[in-house]
Amino acid sequence: QVQLVESGGGLVQPGGSLRLSCATSGSIFSIGSMGWYRQAPGEQRELVAVVTAGRIPIYADAVKGRFTISRDNAKNTVYLQMSSLKPEDTAVYYCNAAIQTAPSLPARWYWGQGTQVSVSS
């Protein structure tokens, strides 16, 4: 059983910062790419940022220069440092990861339960 648990969401004023964490646990053989997505009310889920197993980050245009994704492979954890937050960043943020649970099995995507980020004055 694999679990992804996000933390760090909350309410912040415009221009503020938050740091999200996503810890993975369970029967993990290896982890490939890890990423963050978000979904605002009435909108589709969209990619925010992804970091590859080799720590190469990829960002959506909307967050470039404001958000930083990183990972700690020893802790099987991915982070999202969010700065200069805007009201349009308000959404439920989900982490995901490509996880292989055994060497004989292909990797599959796992998702966390989501954490709310609200940006408002």
Side-chain angles (χ1 to χ4, degrees), residues 3-104:
Q3 285 190 318
L4 277 66
V5 179
E6 299 104 334
S7 61
L11 174 64
V12 63
Q13 292 186 341
S17 299
L18 280 176
R19 188 192 193 210
L20 305 183
S21 300
C22 174
T24 63
S25 62
S27 179
I28 298 172
F29 174 72
S30 69
I31 303 177
S33 294
M34 306 179 81
W36 289 93
Y37 288 71
R38 66 187 182 187
Q39 188 168 18
E43 302 289 334
Q44 290 190 337
R45 192 173 296 190
E46 63 177 7
L47 172 70
V48 175
V50 171
V51 58
T52 68
R55 293 190 171 91
I56 296 174
I58 300 170
Y59 298 98
D61 288 343
V63 305
K64 280 181 182 176
R66 301 187 298 121
F67 291 10
T68 301
I69 189 170
S70 61
R71 62 191 288 169
D72 184 333
N73 290 337
K75 295 181 179 179
N76 289 339
T77 299
V78 62
Y79 305 96
L80 186 68
Q81 178 67 47
M82 305 185 292
S83 303
S84 302
L85 282 160
K86 305 175 181 179
E88 50 264 44
D89 294 318
T90 295
V92 177
Y93 283 69
Y94 299 89
C95 68
N96 78 342
I99 296 174
Q100 193 178 7
T101 57
S104 60

Side-chain angles (χ1 to χ4, degrees), residues 97-116:
I99 296 174
Q100 193 178 7
T101 57
S104 60
L105 297 175
R108 55 156 285 194
W109 292 101
Y110 291 84
W111 290 85
Q113 81 288 350
T115 185
Q116 177 70 46

